[in-house]
């Protein structure tokens, strides 16, 4: 019986992650919890879900053996994820779902440039073309949202900076996953980011203890779907796939989120321009995933 190769498993993980992260903005929109607290619970529950697996596989022992460089990478990833989630969740309360998701996924060009020029991992021309096509689709969707009346500029700015933080998160994760197993890495990053977000919520004056059953159920869904099956799958794939591939894959989120918003949120109807923009994103993603990376490169 033929077994699936590591690269095939990585691309399967990317596919699962792309679908899963599209649910994040919808679940966040349904929640009434303050942004920092919401993001903190999401990541804390995700870390709790990983904890039994860590016990069974010796993940906690691996954490104790982290080198200083590995600890530094986890710290960078945790800080980047903290700012990514914190800024993005705030932006969702200030602008449209599609606008926020578009701007928070505006990091592929930044990631590709850093990877190519600083990390010395060559980015293929097909990947560059695919990134430009996919991002042009994102821009088309964004322009459409502004014509429909987007939120305050602060919400857009928060989402954009949150996107840059996501880029740092993927780049540091690419380096960390060269030596670290996925579960110890993800657990450490999620736990650190959750703690920092709880502190941020306390500084903001938010109530940290949430007892409402509906909100807790949403936190669990956020932990399972867009975090475990989303972020953790991306982190799994980073072992075999360069950061610019993962970063560009996240551009599929605006398409999925816009479709889900149309189906599940009142008043968020995608126009023909959003559909065309989505087609460009899908076309660009095909180029990046199909032609933008050779397994011998990584």
């Amino acid at each position: 019986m033929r077994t699936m190769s590591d690269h095939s498993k990585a691309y399967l993980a990317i596919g699962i992650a792309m679908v899963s992260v599209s649910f994040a903005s919808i679940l966040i929109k349904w929640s009434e919890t303050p942004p920092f607290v919401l993001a903190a619970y999401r990541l804390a529950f995700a870390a709790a879900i990983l904890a039994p697996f860590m016990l069974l596989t010796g993940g906690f022992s691996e954490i104790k053996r982290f080198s200083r460089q590995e600890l530094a990478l986890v710290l960078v990833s945790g800080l980047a994820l903290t700012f990514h989630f914190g800024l993005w969740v705030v932006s969702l309360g200030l602008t449209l779902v599609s606008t926020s998701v578009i701007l928070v996924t505006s990091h592929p060009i930044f990631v590709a440039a850093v990877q190519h020029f600083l990390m010395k991992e060559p980015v293929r021309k097909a990947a560059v073309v695919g990134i430009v096509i996919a991002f042009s689709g994102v821009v088309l969707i964004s322009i459409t949202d502004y014509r429909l009346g987007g939120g305050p500029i602060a919400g857009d700015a928060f989402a954009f900076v949150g996107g840059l933080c996501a880029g740092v998160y993927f780049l540091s994760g690419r380096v960390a996953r060269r030596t670290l197993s996925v579960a110890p890495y993800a657990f450490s990053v999620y736990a650190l980011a959750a703690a920092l977000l709880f502190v941020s919520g306390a500084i903001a004056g938010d109530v940290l203890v949430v007892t409402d059953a509906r909100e807790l159920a949403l936190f669990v869904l956020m932990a399972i779907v867009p975090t475990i099956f989303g972020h953790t799958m991306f982190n799994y794939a980073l072992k075999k796939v360069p950061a610019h591939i993962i970063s560009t894959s996240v551009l599929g989120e605006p398409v999925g989120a816009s479709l889900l918003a149309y189906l599940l949120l009142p008043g968020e109807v995608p126009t023909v321009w959003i559909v065309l923009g989505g087609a460009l994103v899908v076309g660009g993603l095909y180029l990046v995933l199909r032609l933008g990376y050779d397994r011998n490169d990584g």
Side-chain angles (χ1 to χ4, degrees):
M1 182 176 177
R2 186 177 179 180
T3 58
M4 186 179 294
S5 68
D6 288 343
H7 283 80
S8 296
K9 291 178 182 177
Y11 275 87
L12 175 61
I14 291 172
I16 294 172
M18 286 172 61
V19 174
S20 299
V21 295
S22 297
F23 284 88
S25 55
I26 306 301
L27 295 170
I28 291 169
K29 277 285 190 178
W30 281 344
S31 176
E32 297 177 354
T33 300
F36 294 137
V37 179
L38 181 152
Y41 272 98
R42 169 185 172 175
L43 291 170
F45 282 6
I49 291 170
L50 288 175
F53 181 78
M54 294 278 288
L55 287 170
L56 291 173
T57 60
F60 289 111
S61 297
E62 183 175 338
I63 289 176
K64 293 179 181 178
R65 298 193 299 270
F66 281 2
S67 66
R68 288 185 178 180
Q69 180 182 8
E70 291 167 341
L71 285 171
L73 288 168
V74 167
L75 178 60
V76 171
S77 294
L79 286 171
L81 190 61
T82 299
F83 282 101
H84 166 65
F85 275 139
L87 292 170
W88 179 46
V89 175
V90 170
S91 77
L92 281 170
L94 299 175
T95 190
L96 296 175
V97 166
S98 47
T99 302
S100 177
V101 173
I102 286 158
L103 291 172
V104 85
T105 55
S106 61
H107 45 72
I109 295 175
F110 162 72
V111 170
V114 171
Q115 181 183 301
H116 187 84
F117 294 107
L118 298 182
M119 296 176 64
K120 305 304 180 183
E121 290 189 78
V123 176
R124 286 185 157 198
K125 292 180 180 179
V128 175
V129 173
I131 290 171
V132 171
I133 292 174
F135 193 68
S136 67
V138 167
V139 171
L140 180 59
I141 297 172
S142 181
I143 291 173
T144 301
D145 272 343
Y146 276 113
R147 291 178 60 190
L148 293 174
I153 190 66
D156 297 340
F158 288 152
F160 179 73
V161 177
L164 293 180
C165 291
V168 173
Y169 167 63
F170 288 128
L171 288 165
S172 59
R174 170 64 172 171
V175 179
R177 285 283 289 123
R178 290 172 180 168
T179 57
L180 301 181
S181 302
V182 63
Y185 169 73
F187 176 87
S188 301
V189 172
Y190 296 164
L192 173 60
L196 293 173
L197 285 163
F198 273 123
V199 171
S200 300
I203 293 173
D206 296 330
V207 176
L208 301 184
V209 178
V210 178
T211 58
D212 182 80
R214 179 180 179 276
E215 292 297 307
L216 292 172
L218 286 172
F219 298 158
V220 172
L221 285 173
M222 290 178 207
I224 294 173
V225 182
T227 310
I228 297 297
F229 286 102
H231 280 263
T232 307
M233 289 295 100
F234 279 138
N235 285 325
Y236 169 81
L238 278 170
K239 177 77 172 182
K240 287 293 181 180
V241 178
H244 76 278
I245 300 290
I246 304 297
S247 179
T248 308
S249 299
V250 181
L251 288 179
E253 183 177 353
V255 180
S258 295
L259 177 60
L260 289 170
Y262 169 67
L263 296 173
L264 301 174
L265 296 178
E268 300 224 15
V269 180
T271 67
V272 64
W273 296 109
I274 290 179
V275 174
L276 290 174
L280 286 172
V281 171
V282 172
L285 284 174
Y286 175 81
L287 280 177
V288 173
L289 296 175
R290 184 71 178 85
L291 304 173
Y293 170 62
D294 187 283
R295 64 187 59 196
N296 294 321
D297 295 337

